[in-house]
Amino acid sequence: MGLKILLVEDEPKLASMLQRGLKEEGYQVSVAMSGSAGLDMALSFGFDLIILDIMLPELNGLDVLKRLRQQELQTPILMLTALDSPENIVTGLDGGADDYLVKPFNFAELGARIRNLTRRNQNGTPAKHLIALADLEINTQSKTVTRSGTSITLTATEFRLLEFLAQRPNRVLSRMEILEHVWNVDFNLGTNVVDVYINYLRKKLDRKFTPKLIHTVIGMGYVLKDSVEV
C-alpha cells in the first residue's frame, strides 16, 4: 500500500490535479476542501504526510498548523504558499511546518519534496541507523531517542534537527547550514526557527542530564559534542 497523504486545498481544479497525479505515483490521497475539515481529518486518521495550503476557508492553513502542533501531531507537514507571501513562509516554519512550496510549482518538485519528507520517516534509512554520543542514543530507523536509558519524545522536526547534528558530531554548524538541511531553506528568511528548535532540544536533552551536549559557538552556530571545548 502507498503512503497516505492528506491534501488540504480549496481550489477544486488544483486539488483534483494533485490528487490524480499523486495517485498515479502510488500514493493514497484524501482531500479536504477547508481548514476545519483538514484539521478534523488530520486528527482523526493516520497520515504519513499532510500537504496544507495557507489560504483556506473557515480556518487558514497557519491556524490549522498551529492547532495540529498544539495537539503534538508529529506528521510531516508541507505548506503551500503564494509567491508574494514570504512572511507566511517564516510564520509556517516557525509554527512547525517541515517544508514549504511556493505556488505555482512544478509537480516534479512537489514529488521530490514529498519523497524527501517521507523518506525521513520510513525504513529506507541507512543501514547504520544507530548513533551514540555520550549517553545519548538515536535510532534513525525507529525514530527513537534515549538518554541514560530514558526515552525522549521528539517531534518530527526536532528529530531531524537532532539527527543532522548527531551525524556531524564535534563540527560547528551554522544556522544557514541547518536551515538548508533541516528545513530545505536555501536563503535567509530572517527567521529564528533554528534557535527556537535548538532551545526545544536543549529542554528535552540537556536540562535534566549531564554532560550538556548542545553547545553554542557565538557568531558561528551550534555543535553537538560531549564536552564544553570547541
Side-chain angles (χ1 to χ4, degrees), residues 121-192:
N121 293 276
Q122 300 303 311
N123 290 337
T125 52
K128 188 178 179 181
H129 57 268
L130 295 176
I131 303 174
L133 180 70
D135 58 348
L136 175 69
E137 293 187 0
I138 304 165
N139 188 315
T140 61
Q141 188 168 22
S142 63
K143 306 298 180 186
T144 55
V145 177
T146 62
R147 184 149 193 207
S148 291
T150 301
S151 178
I152 298 173
T153 301
L154 300 181
T155 67
T157 303
E158 289 168 353
F159 185 89
R160 286 204 317 280
L161 174 57
L162 177 60
E163 182 180 10
F164 180 66
L165 295 172
Q167 288 175 337
R168 299 157 182 82
N170 306 309
R171 174 183 159 190
V172 179
L173 299 165
S174 70
R175 289 171 177 80
M176 198 65 238
E177 283 181 279
I178 296 171
L179 273 175
E180 289 176 356
H181 288 86
V182 179
W183 282 272
N184 294 316
V185 174
D186 57 3
F187 57 95
N188 191 347
L189 288 169
T191 174
N192 68 340

Side-chain angles (χ1 to χ4, degrees), residues 23-39:
K23 283 186 174 180
E24 289 176 356
E25 294 290 326
Y27 299 109
Q28 300 179 58
V29 185
S30 299
V31 177
M33 303 294 289
S34 70
S36 58
L39 178 64

